[in-house]
Amino acid sequence: MQSVCYVRCVRRLWGPAQASQILNVTNMHRSVCQLQHKKVMEDNKPWALISEVGGQGYIEEVTDIMKQHFQIICHKDFLQNPLLHGPKIQAMFVWNALPAPEPALLSSLPSLKVVANGGVGIDHLDVSYITSLGVKVTNTPGVVSNATADIAMGLLLASARNIVEGHQISVNPNTTHTQCQMGVEVTGSTLGIIGMGHIGCKIAQRGKGFDMKILYHNRSRRSVEDEQAVGASYHDNMDDLLKASDFVMLAVNLTPETTGLISHRELSLMKPTATLVNISRGLVVDQDALVKALQSGTIRAAALDVTHPEPLPRDHPLLGLPNVLITPHIGTNTYTTTRRMVQRMVENAMAALKGQTIPNEVKPK
């Protein structure tokens, strides 16, 4: 209302031509003030170090979430002048294990308050060392569970029903008939889940939808209510689960105890018709033992979303086996989950900077 009265007053006193000039100057002044205010607001945002946008980094669509709360700088730009940028950075967002929070980098970030990791696994972080510097560590459990469970069942189904092989036959220009190798029935089969955390429970839910018999092994037994919800039976002895399962699903965190969890002995206990599915970490499986088991027919097949390293060397024997299905660690690769992960990373980081309770703080063991 005040601006309308102002315009009318200017027009009465100065006439149309002069009034237009004055109003243009006023609008310019207002725009300059708005830009100055925006710049002040931007300058007040804390700085965060990220890996990159595109490539192995963040998809463009999620950077707006970070920019709402942080001034972000990519690692390659940071390296152009670490002495200038280092003291400003208070948060580091780690995505696909990058930028790697190693001592050399951390020592150049004297104001760092939090390392916010995207994803559940923190095996690439030296949590004890980072926290010894007074820096908080966070991750994003829960938000990744559905997408990871989806890829787990996708791998299981694709391997059981030879979906990739069928696709290759169907699109091959030399194909004259479409007969494909017989698959394995999923409905009514036995699914053994090793690692019954949040992701493991989501996998069990999906298995129940296929009328699978659900077995599980975990460090501690779930509640009766959790077991009944998915019809799961607890096996304190992992060997018993391996012997009974048609599909063995690995959904554990990588720890010293789970490194090499599945090796020659464990594979020899599995049915020759069984399939190993790994959506946890590559190092949970002894890959040399897996190659031998697949070559010898000790087990029927393997479906892997994770390997060690990632990607495997192009001459690795796993890549040449017909009974192996490998995807490039895409368990959380959906737009919905990616946005939720980044949102959770930002929430964790902001809580750490404000001295508030951090929703997903990771503490050294």
Side-chain angles (χ1 to χ4, degrees):
M1 187 67 185
Q2 289 179 344
S3 61
V4 173
C5 294
Y6 172 74
V7 170
R8 289 174 179 170
C9 181
V10 168
R11 282 176 175 163
R12 281 201 304 268
L13 292 174
W14 294 94
Q18 292 92 339
S20 296
Q21 293 178 0
I22 292 172
L23 291 174
N24 286 337
V25 171
T26 301
N27 289 333
M28 288 176 60
H29 177 70
R30 185 180 293 115
S31 298
V32 169
C33 290
Q34 289 173 344
L35 289 171
Q36 289 175 338
H37 177 70
K38 183 178 180 181
K39 185 177 186 305
V40 169
M41 293 295 290
E42 289 288 329
D43 290 343
N44 287 336
K45 291 180 182 178
W47 282 75
L49 178 65
I50 69 171
S51 53
E52 61 178 331
V53 179
Q56 289 186 314
Y58 303 86
I59 57 174
E60 183 72 39
E61 290 88 338
V62 303
T63 56
D64 62 308
I65 300 174
M66 294 184 287
K67 289 178 180 177
Q68 290 175 17
H69 301 278
F70 289 92
Q71 293 256 45
I72 60 174
I73 181 169
C74 293
H75 189 223
K76 65 178 182 179
D77 295 327
F78 165 82
L79 292 176
Q80 296 297 316
N81 196 337
L83 292 178
L84 172 65
H85 301 303
K88 297 185 291 188
I89 293 170
Q90 293 181 276
M92 181 191 300
F93 293 134
V94 178
W95 190 262
N96 292 332
L98 297 172
E102 298 172 345
L105 176 58
L106 295 172
S107 65
S108 65
L109 307 175
S111 302
L112 188 66
K113 299 291 189 300
V114 59
V115 171
N117 183 65
V120 181
I122 44 114
D123 47 278
H124 55 288
L125 303 177
D126 188 341
V127 177
S128 295
Y129 175 73
I130 296 171
T131 55
S132 74
L133 303 175
V135 177
K136 302 290 186 181
V137 177
T138 73
N139 65 350
T140 62
V143 295
V144 304
S145 299
N146 280 321
T148 307
D150 286 349
I151 200 68
M153 290 305 294
L155 285 168
L156 186 155
L157 289 164
S159 179
R161 298 304 305 273
N162 302 309
I163 290 174
V164 175
E165 179 192 5
H167 168 76
Q168 291 171 339
I169 290 173
S170 297
V171 302
N172 190 325
N174 298 319
T175 293
T176 56
H177 67 282
T178 56
Q179 184 176 355
C180 187
Q181 182 180 351
M182 296 294 286
V184 174
E185 191 86 5
V186 173
T187 299
S189 63
T190 299
L191 172 61
I193 302 172
I194 300 176
M196 198 67 158
H198 204 260
I199 293 172
C201 286
K202 293 290 185 179
I203 294 169
Q205 288 176 352
R206 286 151 177 77
K208 184 182 179 182
F210 283 88
D211 295 325
M212 301 179 85
K213 180 181 180 181
I214 311 296
L215 315 178
Y216 79 96
H217 173 75
N218 202 43
R219 286 179 301 178
S220 57
R221 186 169 183 172
R222 303 286 305 207
S223 68
V224 174
E225 291 77 16
D226 288 344
E227 291 180 351
Q228 290 178 344
V230 295
S233 299
Y234 177 65
H235 281 248
D236 180 59
N237 189 326
M238 189 176 77
D239 290 359
D240 294 338
L241 178 147
L242 293 171
K243 294 173 184 177
S245 300
D246 298 305
F247 298 91
V248 174
M249 182 75 68
L250 303 178
V252 297
N253 290 325
L254 181 64
T255 66
E257 292 73 31
T258 61
T259 300
L261 181 69
I262 303 298
S263 192
H264 294 280
R265 190 187 74 83
E266 290 74 26
L267 291 165
S268 70
L269 295 174
M270 293 172 61
K271 298 178 181 181
T273 55
T275 298
L276 179 71
V277 185
N278 187 10
I279 49 89
S280 55
R281 285 292 188 268
L283 285 172
V284 172
V285 177
D286 178 341
Q287 290 180 162
D288 292 336
L290 180 60
V291 168
K292 291 181 180 178
L294 291 165
Q295 289 174 332
S296 65
T298 301
I299 64 172
R300 171 187 172 270
L304 316 170
D305 187 45
V306 289
T307 59
H308 182 77
E310 293 175 353
L312 289 171
R314 296 299 85 187
D315 60 349
H316 196 282
L318 274 176
L319 301 181
L321 295 176
N323 51 347
V324 177
L325 174 60
I326 302 178
T327 50
H329 205 154
I330 57 173
T332 61
N333 282 23
T334 70
Y335 285 103
T336 299
T337 293
T338 297
R339 289 191 69 86
R340 287 174 178 168
M341 288 170 66
V342 173
Q343 183 65 51
R344 184 65 61 84
M345 292 166 72
V346 168
E347 291 170 359
N348 286 329
M350 290 302 297
L353 296 187
K354 293 178 180 179
Q356 300 172 347
T357 301
I358 302 171
N360 304 115
E361 183 175 359
V362 178
K363 296 185 178 181
K365 295 180 179 180

